[in-house]
Amino acid sequence: MHQQSDNDAAPGPISGGARPGGRGRGRRAGETATRADILSAARGSFAERGYDRATIRGIAGRAGVDPALVIHYFGSKEALFVEALELPQRPGDVVSGGLAAGREHLGATIVRAFLETWDAPATQAQLTAMLRSALTNDTAMDMVRRLLLREVFGPVTRALGVPDAQLRADLVGTQLLGLAMLRYVARIEPVASAPVDRLVRALGPTLQRYLTEDLAAGDDG
Amino acid sequence: MHQQSDNDAAPGPISGGARPGGRGRGRRAGETATRADILSAARGSFAERGYDRATIRGIAGRAGVDPALVIHYFGSKEALFVEALELPQRPGDVVSGGLAAGREHLGATIVRAFLETWDAPATQAQLTAMLRSALTNDTAMDMVRRLLLREVFGPVTRALGVPDAQLRADLVGTQLLGLAMLRYVARIEPVASAPVDRLVRALGPTLQRYLTEDLAAGDDG
DNA sequence: TGATGGACTCAACAAGCGTTGAACACACTG
DNA sequence: CAGTGTGTTCAACGCTTGTTGAGTCCATCA
């Protein structure tokens, strides 16, 4: 259940990284699975219920642990939330990869990368938690903003030479965000279960147009 | 501030519509503005903070009233939420009107109607409240689902003769939902301040394609 | 063995929540 | 005038929340 050994990332309990008293004499900082269990339980709770409705007690119960231990390890609910939602994905991959693959398939490549990233269960839990919490929690909203900026807006505006790159990036953001909401959070059919290929064919040209084609040529109503 | 006289809709305090004891002898059911003030304050609070973070005490304070009075009028927080978010708009207008305007301008017409509905401040508060609460509150999520069904999915699937009408409706839903999230809730620039005409030209062709063109013809990545 | 200190639990705190029931204020009827 | 019912407030209840501090358990090391 615990993803991998986090020997350099996890500072152990609240006291922090470098042990102050030399190599202490007591019990070794036992490589317990508990901390990772709590993180996993937190991701599940935040994804299912959002930040406000997820409780420390609920997370602790899910991990089979006392609520106080959660605070002991992470300091506060907010800090737990931040740590639980740290993304394993390197930034810029989705869109940057798409840009490198050639401009004529840019839209389709972005949609495919986006969907394949989200369809992985571990990532899906983190991003669902982020989205579900974003609308009532400022920290989560900032996370989404930064994620969009890093993953979509930044690479797009950097790569495109056009002057209205920011609006184009925003348009891509609306389409991808709406897709994520319906498919992963609200789980509305048939888009929730549609195969990736079908969505790539449906949404790819949309993003392609937002990024590379003329946006002023639409017909008016 | 109070929109209009609600002589037939407002049943007065909690006892309900028809007075049991004939035309009662006591104080007349004074046409107080308070009830409408509370509703307005509730819409504001729900829109800004979402269902969970909005409190009865906060709404009462905003309306200059005791918290108990809120419960006295509406019975519970949940019931207040439901009543505060009842939409004044007749159902089916947005998409049905677009369908009636001719199929070749369908996409642009829908986007325009959608934006003009939301840009009205009163409606915007209600829909923002609904969206902001939808991800953590089941009632709000049902509202959004029913609204999408009534306003988008239903008319579209009824009007289009194509077999994959449901997926097409979903795709329209993703684009409009994402647009609403970025423009009205997250308020990300430049899409938050873009003029309606510009968005109509940018998004109209997308919806047009989702509704009437061939979706299998997209290029693959 | 005995000391150490980290893993972990227990019981409780203070704050905030939705909600309640009794009460006061007042406009109206008879 | 007395009586009545509505508008409104007050003070409190019961509950849940995040968080705290003291304390227990036990693997490790001198």
Side-chain angles (χ1 to χ4, degrees):
Chain A
M1 203 58 87
H2 340 108
Q3 344 240 48
Q4 61 219 48
S5 71
D6 43 5
N7 34 16
D8 58 356
I14 212 174
S15 52
R19 274 183 216 87
R23 324 178 95 263
R25 226 178 308 265
R27 180 189 199 169
R28 291 278 65 77
E31 288 298 316
T32 324
T34 310
R35 209 189 120 97
D37 285 344
I38 294 175
L39 267 179
S40 172
R43 272 191 277 268
S45 272
F46 286 136
E48 288 169 10
R49 313 167 66 86
Y51 182 85
D52 291 314
R53 296 267 240 255
T55 67
I56 296 274
R57 284 171 168 83
I59 293 168
R62 198 168 173 145
V65 153
D66 190 273
L69 192 61
V70 177
I71 298 290
H72 179 240
Y73 271 125
F74 298 93
S76 73
K77 183 184 180 183
E78 185 81 14
L80 169 63
F81 181 74
V82 171
E83 184 157 346
L85 265 59
E86 250 168 24
L87 295 179
Q89 179 92 348
R90 290 167 308 290
D93 272 16
V94 173
V95 173
S96 299
L99 288 166
R103 288 175 83 107
E104 68 272 19
H105 296 103
L106 182 53
T109 309
I110 291 178
V111 176
R112 183 174 299 281
F114 183 81
L115 287 173
E116 279 169 356
T117 301
W118 277 71
D119 280 354
T123 315
Q124 187 174 336
Q126 297 182 47
L127 290 178
T128 303
M130 198 184 300
L131 277 189
R132 208 186 276 278
S133 309
L135 297 186
T136 51
N137 182 273
D138 289 343
T139 306
M141 177 65 95
D142 273 0
M143 284 182 177
V144 172
R145 235 188 281 266
R146 272 203 301 273
L147 185 71
L148 279 176
L149 198 72
R150 265 187 354 200
E151 296 277 345
V152 182
F153 300 164
V156 165
T157 53
R158 251 182 274 119
L160 299 180
V162 289
D164 53 354
Q166 284 203 355
L167 179 63
R168 292 175 185 272
D170 271 16
L171 293 174
V172 171
T174 63
Q175 180 58 92
L176 292 182
L177 185 63
L179 173 64
M181 287 284 181
L182 249 69
R183 181 175 170 93
Y184 299 106
V185 183
R187 291 197 158 87
I188 289 180
E189 297 294 351
V191 83
S193 310
V196 171
D197 282 345
R198 179 125 203 224
L199 293 175
V200 168
R201 279 194 293 272
L203 298 177
T206 297
L207 266 58
Q208 185 72 30
R209 181 171 160 276
Y210 288 163
L211 291 174
T212 63
E213 297 177 23
D214 183 15
L215 293 182
D219 59 337
D220 206 329
Chain B
M1 207 57 89
H2 340 108
Q3 345 239 45
Q4 63 219 46
S5 71
D6 42 4
N7 35 15
D8 58 356
I14 212 174
S15 51
R19 274 182 215 90
R23 323 177 97 265
R25 229 176 306 267
R27 181 189 199 167
R28 291 276 66 78
E31 288 297 316
T32 323
T34 311
R35 207 189 123 98
D37 285 345
I38 295 175
L39 268 179
S40 172
R43 272 190 278 267
S45 272
F46 286 136
E48 288 169 10
R49 313 167 66 86
Y51 182 84
D52 291 314
R53 295 257 239 261
T55 68
I56 295 274
R57 283 170 166 85
I59 293 168
R62 198 169 173 143
V65 152
D66 191 273
L69 192 60
V70 177
I71 298 291
H72 180 241
Y73 271 126
F74 298 94
S76 73
K77 183 183 181 183
E78 186 82 13
L80 169 63
F81 181 75
V82 171
E83 184 158 346
L85 265 58
E86 249 168 26
L87 294 179
Q89 178 93 348
R90 291 168 307 291
D93 272 16
V94 173
V95 172
S96 300
L99 288 166
R103 288 176 83 107
E104 68 272 21
H105 295 103
L106 183 53
T109 309
I110 291 177
V111 176
R112 183 173 298 281
F114 184 80
L115 286 173
E116 280 169 356
T117 301
W118 276 72
D119 279 354
T123 315
Q124 187 174 335
Q126 297 182 46
L127 290 178
T128 304
M130 197 185 299
L131 276 188
R132 209 187 276 278
S133 308
L135 298 187
T136 51
N137 182 274
D138 288 343
T139 305
M141 177 65 95
D142 273 1
M143 283 184 179
V144 172
R145 235 188 281 265
R146 272 203 301 272
L147 185 71
L148 279 176
L149 199 71
R150 264 187 355 199
E151 295 278 343
V152 182
F153 300 164
V156 165
T157 52
R158 252 183 273 116
L160 298 180
V162 289
D164 53 354
Q166 285 203 354
L167 179 63
R168 292 175 185 273
D170 271 16
L171 294 175
V172 171
T174 64
Q175 179 59 90
L176 292 182
L177 185 64
L179 173 64
M181 287 283 182
L182 249 68
R183 181 174 171 93
Y184 298 106
V185 183
R187 290 197 160 86
I188 289 180
E189 297 294 352
V191 84
S193 310
V196 170
D197 282 345
R198 180 124 203 227
L199 294 175
V200 168
R201 279 193 295 272
L203 298 177
T206 297
L207 267 58
Q208 186 73 30
R209 180 171 161 275
Y210 287 163
L211 291 174
T212 63
E213 297 176 22
D214 184 14
L215 294 182
D219 60 338
D220 207 327

